[in-house]
Amino acid sequence: MPDPADWSRLRLHVVTGKGGTGKSTVAAALALGLASEGKQVLLCEVEGRQGIARMFDVDPLPYAERRIAAGLRHNGDRPGAVHALHIDPESALLEYLAMYYKLGRAGRALDRFGVIEFATTIAPGVRDVLLTGKVFEAVQRNSRNKGATQYDAVVLDAPPTGRIAQFLNVNDELAGLAKVGPIRSQADTVMTLFRSPRTAVHLVTVLEEMPVQETADGIAELRRAGLPVGAVVVNQVRPRDIAPADLRAALEGRLDTERIAADLGEAGIDGGADLVSGLVAEARDHAERRALEDAQRAVVDGLGRPTYELPRLPGGVDLGGLYELAATLKKEGLA
């Protein structure tokens, strides 16, 4: 496992997280941040949702690597580029059949008869080997990839935390399916990368009890599987611009309502008692939320992993927002 201060040694960044934590957003921002100083980065997705295309506002991605954005400009250096790859198991199996069994036309015929869909649905272990095998080839180009882009880093927008260890631990998933043969050999080769110092699995969470607990469980499960745990990225963090004493006063109902009314009047706002009481209620809700977040932040700090925080973007996440998050990851040292 690389020293946390030297993530630059990684070739494969696997990003996972509980649904709703923004793991795909973090993966995209990480790819943009890594693609600085002329570096070439590949952003992969394996869940079939075309999330990359939506985030970068491009056409749906084919089963082919495609340049989708310039990387983050950093210190005036020439930016690199982010390329994207949408990996689906059916296309991966067709490519696999053509590569190992020379089934070009025959493989496409099987696809028309529904055999490909059947094979990738009935045997999820095989499905995951095909998906991860494609990621492996992007990380470690060989003679079959003549003329292909050599990437400085690959970022994988992976399945959620609850399935990440199973997804990456393809050897165990194949135990009862393929003990010998090319697909078993491919699984063994993939595992050498996934368990190497060139790989890290980063976990994305928000400061809520269930996602934080799932992050803790995910870290434990990854360690049991011998997979390298990377950083914890705390996403959608609210601003911490209210003094602790004021938060306590809001939480305990001790805010000075007369002063609030006077301040509103000085600002030319005359809302009366209803407006003041509404603001006091909002302040109490915010203070309660902050207290819950602080409690969960303490739990995250106790996980023993390097932690990075990304702000909640008031206007939502568009391409400009991705660059903003990328700059934060760069500044904090993950990208």
Side-chain angles (χ1 to χ4, degrees), residues 10-196:
L10 295 176
R11 291 293 306 282
L12 176 59
H13 298 258
V14 180
V15 180
T16 185
K18 180 177 171 56
T21 60
K23 72 173 179 64
S24 296
T25 298
V26 172
L30 178 58
L32 284 169
L34 291 168
S36 60
E37 302 167 8
K39 294 176 182 175
Q40 303 298 311
V41 176
L42 180 66
L43 175 61
C44 302
E45 65 181 356
V46 293
E47 294 186 275
R49 297 184 289 106
Q50 288 287 350
I52 294 175
R54 288 194 296 274
M55 285 187 291
F56 286 87
D57 195 23
V58 297
D59 292 335
L61 298 171
Y63 183 67
E65 295 162 26
R66 173 175 293 177
R67 185 184 187 280
I68 59 169
L72 181 70
R73 188 175 294 278
H74 181 63
N75 291 336
D77 295 318
R78 179 174 61 89
V82 175
H83 305 252
L85 176 61
H86 174 80
I87 309 173
D88 68 89
E90 291 79 11
S91 297
L93 182 52
L94 284 171
E95 183 180 39
Y96 176 86
L97 292 173
M99 185 179 300
Y100 289 101
Y101 294 101
K102 312 303 180 187
L103 292 181
R105 287 184 177 179
R108 288 189 290 275
L110 291 174
D111 190 27
R112 285 196 298 273
F113 285 112
V115 175
I116 302 298
E117 183 180 1
F118 173 78
T120 55
T121 302
I122 202 69
V126 172
R127 176 184 182 277
D128 289 348
V129 170
L130 295 167
L131 295 172
T132 55
K134 187 65 178 175
V135 174
F136 173 86
E137 289 183 1
V139 174
Q140 191 160 309
R141 297 298 196 190
N142 55 33
S143 59
R144 291 195 300 269
N145 306 111
K146 291 179 180 177
T149 302
Q150 299 286 331
Y151 294 106
D152 297 288
V154 174
V155 178
L156 173 60
D157 179 10
T161 314
R163 205 174 84 79
I164 188 63
Q166 177 188 17
F167 175 77
L168 295 176
N169 197 16
V170 289
N171 268 0
D172 283 0
E173 290 303 297
L174 277 183
L177 293 170
K179 292 182 171 57
V180 295
I183 200 161
R184 180 70 203 202
S185 176
Q186 182 171 341
D188 291 340
T189 303
V190 166
M191 290 310 301
T192 62
L193 170 64
F194 286 173
R195 290 196 170 119
S196 78

Side-chain angles (χ1 to χ4, degrees), residues 305-333:
R305 300 307 308 155
T307 302
Y308 304 87
E309 293 194 356
L310 291 174
R312 177 187 293 271
L313 299 180
V317 181
D318 55 12
L319 187 55
L322 286 178
Y323 278 102
E324 183 179 336
L325 297 178
T328 300
L329 291 176
K330 188 77 176 178
K331 180 180 179 181
E332 293 187 359

